[in-house]
């Protein structure tokens, strides 16, 4: 019998998922002022917004920045009455120009912490220098395995039996910053990209809010 606390169902036969460190949300002295960057459906954005609404994460989403005009995350943000700013990367000559505009927007909305929740652009030192150590990302693998795009496909192709998700600090090298929190997800016989991705996302939604708070309590 492990003495490691399994989250959710405590019976490991029922819930094989493992999160480390345990996702208890540390108390924060003052609300974190978050800026979220997202490109897609925004389920992680919603999980963070819900944790804030539930008073489990002491934070406020100051602004959502999205780069894809059709991204569903914008609709979600409007439902939460969170300001949205579209910065379509196709309208910028290079990554640095986009990042300069992102920094300006984040500063306008008085953001302290930048949360990449499915932001499908590589960020540059321009963003990272403006928010040193305060840019976080979620990635659908147990880093350092399966960095970059199509991490779920990569895990299936490699034949690993356990994968998962990781919240980490962002550094210039893609998916390489200090790891804050991970959740393990077993790969089941017959898993497809869609079925595995769906189970990974459930765990992403569990670890992202506490990992944000954890980052804020660490140097
Ligand atoms: C997540 O799986 C995340 O790991 C990856 O992009 C996906 C975003 O999903 N970086 P959603 O838009 O939050 O639903």
């Amino acid at each position: 019998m492990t003495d490691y606390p399994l989250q959710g169902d405590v019976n490991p036969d029922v819930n094989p998922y493992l999160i480390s460190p345990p996702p208890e949300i540390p108390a924060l002295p003052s609300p974190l002022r978050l800026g979220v960057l997202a490109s897609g459906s925004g389920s992680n954005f919603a999980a963070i917004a819900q944790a804030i609404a539930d008073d489990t994460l002491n934070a406020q989403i100051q602004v959502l920045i999205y780069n894809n005009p059709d991204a569903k995350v914008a609709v979600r943000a409007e439902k939460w009455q969170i300001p949205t700013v579209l910065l379509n990367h196709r309208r910028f000559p290079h990554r640095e120009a986009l990042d300069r505009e992102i920094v300006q927007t984040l500063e306008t909305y008085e953001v302290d912490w930048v949360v990449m929740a499915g932001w499908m652009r590589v960020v540059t030192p321009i963003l990272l220098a403006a928010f040193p150590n305060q840019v976080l990302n979620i990635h659908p693998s147990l880093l350092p395995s399966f960095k970059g795009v199509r991490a779920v496909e990569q895990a299936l192709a490699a034949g690993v039996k356990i994968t998962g998700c990781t919240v980490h600090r962002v550094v210039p090298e893609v998916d390489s910053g200090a790891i804050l929190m991970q959740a393990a997800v077993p790969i089941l016989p017959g898993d497809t990209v869609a079925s595995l991705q769906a189970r990974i996302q459930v765990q992403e939604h569990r670890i992202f809010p506490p990992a944000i708070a954890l980052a804020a309590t660490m140097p």
Side-chain angles (χ1 to χ4, degrees), residues 58-172:
N58 187 10
Q60 189 168 326
I61 301 178
Q62 304 288 107
V63 63
L64 165 76
I65 297 175
Y66 64 110
N67 65 310
N68 170 4
D70 301 324
K72 288 201 195 113
V73 67
V75 180
R76 294 194 200 250
E78 275 150 31
K79 281 196 192 134
W80 284 97
Q81 297 183 312
I82 290 168
T84 62
V85 174
L86 170 63
L87 297 180
N88 187 338
H89 61 279
R90 294 173 196 87
R91 304 216 166 150
F92 293 83
H94 40 68
R95 292 186 197 284
E96 287 76 12
L98 172 63
D99 278 8
R100 253 181 230 114
E101 191 70 26
I102 291 173
V103 168
Q104 204 165 69
T105 306
L106 294 170
E107 285 174 352
T108 301
Y109 283 89
E110 301 183 330
V111 164
D112 296 323
W113 287 85
V114 183
V115 176
M116 292 166 48
W119 178 247
M120 302 309 284
R121 310 295 306 165
V122 174
V123 299
T124 72
I126 289 176
L127 175 65
L128 301 179
F131 294 90
N133 236 7
Q134 308 220 153
V135 183
L136 310 178
N137 182 44
I138 190 154
H139 183 75
S141 77
L142 290 177
L143 291 172
S145 292
F146 312 127
K147 297 178 179 180
V149 293
R150 290 187 282 280
V152 179
E153 285 93 322
Q154 290 184 53
L156 279 173
V160 296
K161 303 303 176 197
I162 297 176
T163 185
C165 48
T166 303
V167 178
H168 63 95
R169 294 191 203 265
V170 177
V171 294

Side-chain angles (χ1 to χ4, degrees), residues 40-45 117-120 137-140 197 201 204:
S41 97
S43 67
N44 280 286
F45 170 89
W119 178 247
M120 302 309 284
N137 182 44
I138 190 154
H139 183 75
Q197 196 150 28
Q201 283 226 315
E204 290 186 339

